[in-house]
Amino acid sequence: MSSARSAQSVADEFGFVLPDHVPGFVDAAACRHAAASHKFDHLCPATEEPLYRVIECDAGVVDRAVTAARKAFDGGAWSRLSVAARKPVLRRMIDAIDRHRDELAAIQSLEVGLPLSGVQGMHMQRTIDNFDFFIEVADTLGGHSYTQTGRYTSLVTREPVGVVALLSPWNAPLVLSSMKLAAALALGNSCVIKASEYSPWSLYRFVEILHEADIPPGLVNLVNGRGTVTGKALVEHPGVDVIGFVGGTATGREIIRSSAEGIRKVGLELGGKSANIVFDSANLEAAVDGSLIAILTGNGEQCLAGSRLLVQDGVADAFIETFIDRMRRVKIGDPFAAETELGPMAFAGHRQRVLDYAAIAQAEGAELLCGGRACDGFERGYFIEPTAFLVEDNRARVCQEEIFGPFVTIQRFSTPEEALALANESEFGLVSYVWSEHLPTVMHVSRELKAGTVWVNTPLARDLRAPFGGYKQSGLGRDGLHASVDLMTEEKTVMLPNEPLVLPKLGVSD
């Protein structure tokens, strides 16, 4: 029987103390509020040992957090600073994150089960890159003017919106929350982050570390708890001006309803069920490599996973044989072992959800190619085998519903038009993958796919300048250069006459 490293041994190696409780962080201080607050245990996904207790922030604490953010914004200690004055503080934030990057990576791996190598190699660097990028955006952002009327000069400038509520997902809390946080801060806003109840420690420690940069009190606040309690109180709070959310589509709908009541700006990155299309003209070795990365990175718990694999008939047999053989040999285990390629699911309920979909697939008549069950050989932990099903009908639930794990459906197709029909027959449209060395195929398919991002002969690439977001039920708005600026600022027009005006004199008698 195998076992993962204990939380205490990880803490000893990386030099941090395991917390008894994870509270909120409001107005530059830990928010250890009333003992009557709801609390619940979080278990380490790799060992099932108690890791900490979450102290849920109720509506009263949420109000304190929003009030602190509003005071910070209205007071102007940050919002009215010039970009030149904000830059050194943002740089100090980056330095603080960098000093603690190994600690933060270890905490996130302990908390949600991601292999440490991936968190260190991608998540932490992207978190730093997010801040770096938006420093440069703010530094180069300018207004514009119009003089076409001849009589007036219209000056268009941008101002920060105010208080930004950021609701973070549990699967990659640091990298996904920091994208919106960095944009909000660089452009002059103050923030309240709502951490997922499954990953509050990562963000609590992150917010603590940001305060090492001597930021104004109330600029960045954190509240913890369930979406139905803490999240609801935050998105409905009248002091919130902007809502940024990364998570499930059902929750996104509720946020849209709430934002409509208060006429708030929203940016929503929601679910995905992304088609990964392999054509006869593909480089098969690259397509196998990329398709495994697309479904297994982040333990498969990511909205942009290539969870619907569509393979053209001419290469289907060879591709599927190689892909399944590789999938069976993926190294599953302790997130802190260097050789581990797939860690545990983040929590018990989610592992059961993924396993339930394996039963649903078999009930629908799909052919199990590998996996579909919990891993043998582990004393504890929420480990499952990478799972693949060959499916005939694209209307099957496992082809239409987001599973959010190392679980892929495989379908064959004959023509590009058939592949497009299968790919677009989905309520989601976040990303798609195309594998082909034939340029006309690539151009045609990329144009016709209903997805916010199309990756051609590559998995999971990102240019922070380019917009990222989804069609249909996959979201509302985008992250990226122009979209993030639009979300986190308000445009103001000031019209100036070019010469003194002769105005009509109303109410003057002859």
Side-chain angles (χ1 to χ4, degrees), residues 66 70 73-74 160-165 189-190 237-243 262-266 487 490:
V66 175
R70 173 59 59 192
F73 182 80
D74 291 345
V161 179
V163 175
V164 181
N189 301 282
S190 57
H237 197 290
V240 167
D241 300 300
V242 182
I243 301 170
I263 317 296
R264 296 183 183 90
K265 301 174 76 173
V266 295
L487 182 64
E490 294 282 16

Side-chain angles (χ1 to χ4, degrees), residues 126-140:
R126 254 296 304 277
T127 298
I128 290 171
D129 289 346
N130 289 338
F131 278 84
D132 251 333
F133 175 72
F134 282 107
I135 289 173
E136 297 305 314
V137 169
D139 203 29
T140 57

Side-chain angles (χ1 to χ4, degrees), residues 424-481:
N424 290 333
E425 187 184 28
S426 172
E427 67 177 11
F428 298 108
L430 187 57
V431 305
S432 289
Y433 305 74
V434 175
W435 300 92
S436 172
E437 299 295 314
H438 184 240
L439 183 59
T441 297
V442 168
M443 297 303 294
H444 171 61
V445 172
S446 299
R447 185 173 61 249
E448 298 299 325
L449 282 166
K450 304 303 181 186
T453 295
V454 178
W455 281 312
V456 176
N457 296 331
T458 186
L460 308 180
R462 185 73 187 273
D463 184 332
L464 296 182
R465 294 164 297 187
F468 184 86
Y471 284 33
K472 300 184 278 187
Q473 301 294 308
S474 284
L476 185 64
R478 299 288 188 269
D479 283 325
L481 174 54

